[in-house]
Amino acid sequence: MLVTPAHQYPTGVVLSARRRIDLLDWARTSGAYVIEDDYDAEYRYDRQPVGALQGVAPDHVVHAGSLSKSLAPGLRLGWLVVPPALREEVVAARARSDRFTTSIIQATVAEFVQRGDLDRHLRRTRRSYRQRRDALIAALRQHLPACRATGVSAGLHVLVRLPDGMDAIHLAATAARHGILLQPLDRYRSSPAPGPHPALVMGYSRLTSHHIEEGIHHLATILNSGGVTTRPVGDDNG
Ligand SMILES: Cc1ncc(COP(=O)(O)O)c(C=O)c1O
């Protein structure tokens, strides 16, 4: 089972202690493996870091980390901590897929880590992403008080719940024509039908606080101009 327990993508929910225990019990009794995708572990703001599942059940959990959030997705560098019983098979599968990631990039990143530069970079970016996150929440409170941001305590995105009945897909399309790029939560559903609770996924890592404020202000203007359609409440199709 593949999970993002520390910060579910895209809702930002943290897997509760009860569910973590149930998940690991299930893995132990059924002989299954849990793949723990800890994709944004480096960015936790105002809560204690959630311990990795892997540390609790190392024989049943594959822990996956990535430099995509903290350095650059273009590096294509990540890591796996695998249960000893799977190690050989995973190494063989990796070799069959594309041999290895470019040595020069791996060597450069290794030096970056050894010199303490990654730690420094993380401390700096944690501060700046937190400021951007705070700017987004403040702008939402000011310009869109009927919307509620959730999943805000970690990562590089928040989920913004819109008032019931609002058409998030239409709103995102209208905002895009004004240069504001947002993803409707529906984009992440397996069913093509829109969900019951309209919401937008907003990433903030690449924007300055000023641009965030400006963007949310602009979004509020679009919403208040009445140019966005609504749909009947309660039409959940799964
Ligand atoms: C849920 C999730 N898992 C993993 C990743 C990292 O993927 P990759 O290391 O392939 O860039 C991301 C990146 O955005 C993500 O959102």
Side-chain angles (χ1 to χ4, degrees), residues 4 9 37 39 65-69 73 76-78:
T4 45
Y9 191 85
D37 180 2
Y39 65 103
S66 169
L67 287 176
S68 286
K69 295 288 189 198
R76 308 311 309 140
L77 277 187

